């Protein structure tokens, strides 16, 4: 072996096979998590063999795809339904697996050319689009809706009406949002991983962007881990293991990231009506189950359970940890005010992401010969949306304050380590 060959680093190939493995691994992981979560939620008993299609629809919504609900109640009836929600547990698993698959062939590299990275991402994108297209056409099903044993049921028997409700996908929107989701995952993977190569022109940004991006990802994952631990403890002490498992596998980030924004002082607005409900914690359902639109923040939650003020303490501790991590991974020469700006920008973008993906909207209704009026017993509504601009403003203030504290803490740790190293090196 020549000296030149011995000194040349081994670079992992990133061709079509590797791209296919990355895409399939992500889809399989998401499908498994979605299937287990839906089974725990009781979806295994769906009629007409609909369970696989519901799993596919869950995966589609997890990557930003659009699933449309449709109803057909006949000429003498009217039905309406809609659903907008992202099962963020499935989304998170897919992002982690796909991001790892994207970065794996690029490891042990310091610099990569822009065309090389673009070509590798394009291969994944092409296969991802084809997979999304198949999923979009597979996520379609129709169910019959029981009218019950009351007046509506009697009228349905007389007129031979059998209302149906189903779901399908908006294929163009699913492809568009699915590609945007993929682009966000790949870009974030490059920003977060300290070992991922960047084009030479972008290397000057890695000292300012990468530590902040890494700190925010660690912060979000820490909230998810904390939420899972609390959920498991709750299940062990209070029961409802199946429901808790469904929440963990389908919507744990939906809940804990909402709690993150509430602990900062953000306000959300929403309403729960009918059989819809929020599985955990119960205090959310209590606040939102009102006749009018309810306000969800620390004050309204504290009226039902004073322990919610611990969210502020949890946010402060975890945010300080994230700020310290950001400062520790940044050059020591960076002044504290710059840390504060980086933290404020990163936290604001994180809160913006939570506000965009954490929205929930679901409703359905049925009217037969004017009875029911799309708002009776056979109806329900659940929605939750943030007060966006106030949430972003609060995030800026928290980021500036915590950024400075994290910088000062990191500087104190560096000084102590430096003093310890100097003392250890002095002769007796």
């Amino acid at each position: 072996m020549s000296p030149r060959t011995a000194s040349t680093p081994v670079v992992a190939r990133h061709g079509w096979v590797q791209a296919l493995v990355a895409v399939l691994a992500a889809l399989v992981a998401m499908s498994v998590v979605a299937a287990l979560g839906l089974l725990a939620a009781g979806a295994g008993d769906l009629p007409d063999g609909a369970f696989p299609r519901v799993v596919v629809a869950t995966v589609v919504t997890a990557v930003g795809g659009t699933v449309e609900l449709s109803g057909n109640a006949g000429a003498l009836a009217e039905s309406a339904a809609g659903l907008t929600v992202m099962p963020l547990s499935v989304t998170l698993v897919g992002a982690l697996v796909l991001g790892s698959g994207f970065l794996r062939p690029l490891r042990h590299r310091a610099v990569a050319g822009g065309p090389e990275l673009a070509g590798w991402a394009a291969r994944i994108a092409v296969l991802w689009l084809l997979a999304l297209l198949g999923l979009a056409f597979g996520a379609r099903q129709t169910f019959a809706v029981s009218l019950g044993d009351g007046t509506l049921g009697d009228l349905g028997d007389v007129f031979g009406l059998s209302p149906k409700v189903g779901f399908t996908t908006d294929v163009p929107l699913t492809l568009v949002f699915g590609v945007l989701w993929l682009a966000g995952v790949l870009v974030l993977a490059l920003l977060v991983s300290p070992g991922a190569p960047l084009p030479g022109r972008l290397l000057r940004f890695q000292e300012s962007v990468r530590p902040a991006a890494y700190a925010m990802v660690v912060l979000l994952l820490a909230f998810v881990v904390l939420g899972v631990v609390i959920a498991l403890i709750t299940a062990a002490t209070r029961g409802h293991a199946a429901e808790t498992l469904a929440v963990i596998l389908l919507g744990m980030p939906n809940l804990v990231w909402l709690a993150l924004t509430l602990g900062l002082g953000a306000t959300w607005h929403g309403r729960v009506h009918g059989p819809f409900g929020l599985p955990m914690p119960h205090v959310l359902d209590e606040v939102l189950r009102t006749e009018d639109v309810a306000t969800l923040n620390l004050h309204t939650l504290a009226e039902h359970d004073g322990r919610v003020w611990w969210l502020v303490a949890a946010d402060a501790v975890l945010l300080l940890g994230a700020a310290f991590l950001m400062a520790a991974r940044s050059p020591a020469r960076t002044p504290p005010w710059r840390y504060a700006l980086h933290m404020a920008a990163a936290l604001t973008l994180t809160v913006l992401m939570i506000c965009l993906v954490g929205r929930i909207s679901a409703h359905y209704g049925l009217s037969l010969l004017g009875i029911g009026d799309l708002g009776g017993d056979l109806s329900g509504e659940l929605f939750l949306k943030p007060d966006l601009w106030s949430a972003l403003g609060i995030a800026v203030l928290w980021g500036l304050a915590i950024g400075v504290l994290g910088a000062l803490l990191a500087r104190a740790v560096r000084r102590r380590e430096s003093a310890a190293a100097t003392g250890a090196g002095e002769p007796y």
Side-chain angles (χ1 to χ4, degrees):
M1 182 179 292
S2 64
R4 179 180 179 182
T5 303
S7 61
T8 301
V10 178
V11 178
R13 295 179 63 248
H14 40 73
W16 288 102
V17 174
Q18 290 79 6
L20 180 61
V21 170
V23 170
L24 288 180
L27 291 177
V28 168
M30 296 173 76
S31 299
V32 170
V33 172
L36 293 176
L38 290 169
L39 284 174
D45 298 329
L46 290 172
D48 303 326
F51 181 74
R53 293 183 177 87
V54 175
V55 173
V56 172
T58 303
V59 174
V60 168
T61 58
V63 298
T66 301
V67 173
E68 299 178 341
L69 300 183
S70 59
N72 180 12
L76 301 178
E78 180 184 1
S79 62
L83 175 66
T84 302
V85 63
M86 288 184 70
L88 292 181
S89 292
V90 182
T91 303
L92 181 60
V93 169
L96 292 175
V97 174
L98 188 57
S100 299
F102 173 69
L103 293 176
R104 182 174 177 79
L106 303 175
R107 65 190 188 280
H108 310 309
R109 304 275 301 278
V111 180
E116 178 188 0
L117 290 177
W120 171 224
R123 292 184 182 94
I124 293 179
V126 169
L127 296 175
W128 182 254
L129 268 175
L130 293 175
L132 275 184
L133 192 62
L135 292 175
F137 283 110
R140 302 184 177 208
Q141 183 68 33
T142 301
F143 305 93
V145 178
S146 174
L147 295 176
D149 299 326
T151 304
L152 289 177
D154 295 337
L155 290 173
D157 294 336
V158 171
F159 292 100
L161 297 175
S162 179
K164 295 181 180 180
V165 64
F167 61 86
T168 185
T169 53
D170 187 323
V171 177
L173 282 180
T174 295
L175 296 180
V176 170
F177 287 117
V179 169
L180 291 177
W181 180 87
L182 173 68
V185 170
L186 301 187
V187 170
L188 188 60
L190 285 176
L191 292 178
V192 170
S193 176
L198 291 174
R201 295 180 179 179
L202 299 180
L203 288 176
R204 64 181 184 273
F205 297 110
Q206 64 179 350
E207 290 185 353
S208 58
V209 175
R210 272 186 166 167
Y214 181 82
M216 290 299 101
V217 170
V218 171
L219 174 68
L220 293 176
L221 293 179
F223 266 91
V224 173
V225 172
L226 182 60
V228 170
V229 171
I230 294 175
L232 292 176
I233 293 175
T234 302
T237 57
R238 301 182 182 179
H240 306 290
E243 292 84 350
T244 302
L245 183 61
V247 172
I248 292 175
L249 293 174
L250 294 176
M252 180 55 68
N254 298 72
L255 292 173
V256 295
W257 293 348
L258 169 66
L260 165 61
T261 63
L262 292 173
L264 294 177
T267 296
W268 292 64
H269 302 283
R271 181 173 182 251
V272 175
H273 169 69
F276 287 122
L278 297 176
M280 187 179 70
H282 183 63
V283 65
L284 292 177
D285 189 83
E286 292 180 343
V287 173
L288 295 176
R289 195 170 291 279
T290 60
E291 293 298 327
D292 299 320
V293 177
T295 298
L296 183 67
N297 54 35
L298 286 173
H299 295 285
T300 57
L301 288 170
E303 293 176 358
H304 296 266
D305 191 340
R307 292 174 297 178
V308 298
W309 290 109
W310 283 103
L311 289 178
V312 180
D315 274 16
V317 171
L318 292 177
L319 281 172
L320 182 59
F324 171 79
L325 181 62
M326 180 193 69
R329 297 173 71 92
S330 301
R333 64 181 182 277
T334 305
W337 65 267
R338 192 175 294 275
Y339 285 127
L341 292 179
H342 293 171
M343 186 66 182
L347 184 59
T348 302
L349 290 175
T350 301
V351 171
L352 175 61
M353 181 275 296
I354 295 173
C355 290
L356 292 178
V357 304
R359 297 168 181 259
I360 300 174
S361 176
H363 70 273
Y364 75 91
L366 176 65
S367 175
L368 182 60
L369 292 176
I371 301 175
D373 197 22
L374 295 176
D377 295 334
L378 293 176
S379 69
E381 180 185 28
L382 165 63
F383 75 89
L384 188 64
K385 59 182 181 180
D387 190 339
L388 182 60
W389 294 111
S390 65
L392 298 182
I394 291 171
V396 171
L397 297 178
W398 270 87
L400 292 173
I402 290 292
V404 171
L405 292 177
L408 296 177
L409 181 59
R411 179 172 296 182
V413 171
R414 285 193 178 107
R415 287 177 179 174
R416 181 173 297 180
E417 291 177 347
S418 178
T422 302
E426 292 179 352
Y428 290 99

